Amino acid sequence: GYYADRWKKLLIPKSSPTKAYFDTSDQDPFCMYNYLLDITTWNKSIRRGFIKVKITDYAGNTVESEMNSEASTFQQYKRVKILTGFYRDLDEISKISLTFSTKTLIGPKHKLRILQMRLKSLNNPER
């Protein structure tokens, strides 16, 4: 591990840029498992909103994502990449569920049609 006040000097060399993902949460044991959600939507109209991801393993264990509060814009045939995290890591995922929300109480309900989706573990890239 790295001390919080010294991580930058240790992780970011001056010659090349580096991305760092910190695996911490506010719940015991304070681990966070990060995933990259890469989706391509099929809707003809532009949709703006939030996505929650729920993953289930073959034993029936389920965990729901914790994401940042920024809304994403979804356009037809455009890829959108979203960083998402889970408090628990599941080794063998059997099911992935997405929930799309505009977080508005007034107005029509919209569906988001997914053409292609990939969920990649940043902690275990070989998965």
Side-chain angles (χ1 to χ4, degrees):
Y2 298 98
Y3 290 101
D5 63 343
R6 290 187 246 154
W7 72 269
K8 213 172 197 178
K9 292 177 189 173
L10 296 169
L11 293 179
I12 301 177
K14 294 179 181 179
S15 60
S16 65
T18 302
K19 288 185 180 180
Y21 299 97
F22 296 97
D23 302 325
T24 60
S25 72
D26 59 354
Q27 294 182 7
D28 189 23
F30 308 107
C31 297
M32 195 66 157
Y33 300 94
N34 297 304
Y35 284 78
L36 182 65
L37 176 64
D38 184 354
I39 60 175
T40 304
T41 55
W42 191 41
N43 291 64
K44 289 183 181 177
S45 301
I46 294 174
R47 300 280 188 251
R48 186 159 171 76
F50 306 86
I51 289 188
K52 280 216 170 230
V53 182
K54 192 186 301 185
I55 55 176
T56 306
D57 66 8
Y58 289 100
N61 300 311
T62 300
V63 62
E64 193 168 333
S65 66
E66 295 296 324
M67 297 210 238
N68 61 17
S69 59
E70 293 180 25
S72 297
T73 301
F74 304 96
Q75 299 177 24
Q76 188 176 32
Y77 305 129
K78 299 283 184 178
R79 291 175 63 187
V80 176
K81 294 181 180 182
I82 302 169
L83 180 65
T84 184
F86 299 92
Y87 291 124
R88 285 187 15 225
D89 194 22
L90 302 179
D91 287 334
E92 296 185 20
I93 298 171
S94 66
K95 181 179 175 183
I96 301 171
S97 303
L98 300 179
T99 304
F100 174 70
S101 171
T102 57
K103 291 193 177 180
T104 59
L105 300 174
I106 304 170
K109 302 277 183 188
H110 293 290
K111 290 184 179 180
L112 189 65
R113 295 177 181 206
I114 305 296
L115 183 65
Q116 184 178 12
M117 175 179 65
R118 169 178 269 166
L119 186 66
K120 182 178 180 180
S121 172
L122 296 176
N123 298 83
N124 301 294
E126 67 280 358
R127 286 197 229 155

mmCIF file of all heavy atoms in Angstrom, residues 13 17 20 39 91:
data_model
loop_
_atom_site.group_PDB
_atom_site.id
_atom_site.type_symbol
_atom_site.label_atom_id
_atom_site.label_comp_id
_atom_site.label_asym_id
_atom_site.label_seq_id
_atom_site.Cartn_x
_atom_site.Cartn_y
_atom_site.Cartn_z
ATOM 1 N N PRO A 13 5.271 8.224 -12.643
ATOM 2 C CA PRO A 13 6.611 8.649 -13.067
ATOM 3 C C PRO A 13 6.501 9.907 -13.931
ATOM 4 O O PRO A 13 5.510 10.118 -14.608
ATOM 5 C CB PRO A 13 7.127 7.463 -13.865
ATOM 6 C CG PRO A 13 5.915 6.718 -14.293
ATOM 7 C CD PRO A 13 4.849 6.990 -13.268
ATOM 8 N N PRO A 17 2.367 9.327 -18.479
ATOM 9 C CA PRO A 17 1.137 9.442 -17.675
ATOM 10 C C PRO A 17 0.656 8.062 -17.227
ATOM 11 O O PRO A 17 0.841 7.074 -17.914
ATOM 12 C CB PRO A 17 0.141 10.083 -18.634
ATOM 13 C CG PRO A 17 0.663 9.811 -19.992
ATOM 14 C CD PRO A 17 2.150 9.654 -19.871
ATOM 15 N N ALA A 20 -4.489 5.731 -12.052
ATOM 16 C CA ALA A 20 -4.484 4.988 -10.796
ATOM 17 C C ALA A 20 -5.917 4.812 -10.319
ATOM 18 O O ALA A 20 -6.704 5.760 -10.338
ATOM 19 C CB ALA A 20 -3.674 5.740 -9.746
ATOM 20 N N ILE A 39 -20.880 0.040 -23.203
ATOM 21 C CA ILE A 39 -22.129 -0.318 -23.868
ATOM 22 C C ILE A 39 -22.331 0.507 -25.137
ATOM 23 O O ILE A 39 -21.872 1.639 -25.252
ATOM 24 C CB ILE A 39 -23.359 -0.161 -22.949
ATOM 25 C CG1 ILE A 39 -23.519 1.276 -22.459
ATOM 26 C CG2 ILE A 39 -23.296 -1.100 -21.781
ATOM 27 C CD1 ILE A 39 -24.775 1.488 -21.662
ATOM 28 N N ASP A 91 -16.435 -14.029 -8.575
ATOM 29 C CA ASP A 91 -15.494 -14.661 -9.501
ATOM 30 C C ASP A 91 -16.125 -15.039 -10.837
ATOM 31 O O ASP A 91 -15.642 -14.665 -11.887
ATOM 32 C CB ASP A 91 -14.863 -15.905 -8.872
ATOM 33 C CG ASP A 91 -13.850 -15.538 -7.801
ATOM 34 O OD1 ASP A 91 -13.289 -14.442 -7.873
ATOM 35 O OD2 ASP A 91 -13.646 -16.355 -6.895
#
